[in-house]
């Protein structure tokens, strides 16, 4: 997956997610990076990007995989 979309993310520094999508992705980034497979570099890129997530009526922000 990483190779298929990584070119699209070369100029991206922030990602906007809905809460459900963020929650499902956040658990995958560290595991895929640690596994060292084909997606490891892309998982690191996603994990390191700044993220904004819309939850209910307020927006939250976070970087890395901690938010």
């Amino acid at each position: 997956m990483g190779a298929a979309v990584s070119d699209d993310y070369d100029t991206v520094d922030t990602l906007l997610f809905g809460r459900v999508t963020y929650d499902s992705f956040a658990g995958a980034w560290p595991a895929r990076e640690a596994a060292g497979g084909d997606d490891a570099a892309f998982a690191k890129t996603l994990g390191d990007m700044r993220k904004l997530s819309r939850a209910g009526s307020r927006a939250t922000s976070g970087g890395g995989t901690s938010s």
Side-chain angles (χ1 to χ4, degrees), residues 13-40:
D13 64 357
T14 303
L15 297 172
L16 175 64
F17 290 103
R19 173 53 46 194
V20 173
T21 302
Y22 176 84
D23 288 344
S24 68
F25 274 48
W29 292 312
R32 290 204 177 198
E33 183 180 349
D38 292 340
D39 290 340

Side-chain angles (χ1 to χ4, degrees), residues 1-66:
M1 179 209 48
V5 296
S6 63
D7 289 344
D8 292 335
Y9 289 82
D10 284 346
T11 60
V12 173
D13 64 357
T14 303
L15 297 172
L16 175 64
F17 290 103
R19 173 53 46 194
V20 173
T21 302
Y22 176 84
D23 288 344
S24 68
F25 274 48
W29 292 312
R32 290 204 177 198
E33 183 180 349
D38 292 340
D39 290 340
F42 186 66
K44 178 173 178 17
T45 298
L46 287 178
D48 290 347
M49 281 186 184
R50 178 175 182 241
K51 295 162 200 69
L52 301 175
S53 178
R54 179 89 176 152
S57 63
R58 61 186 192 126
T60 59
S61 66
T65 58
S66 61

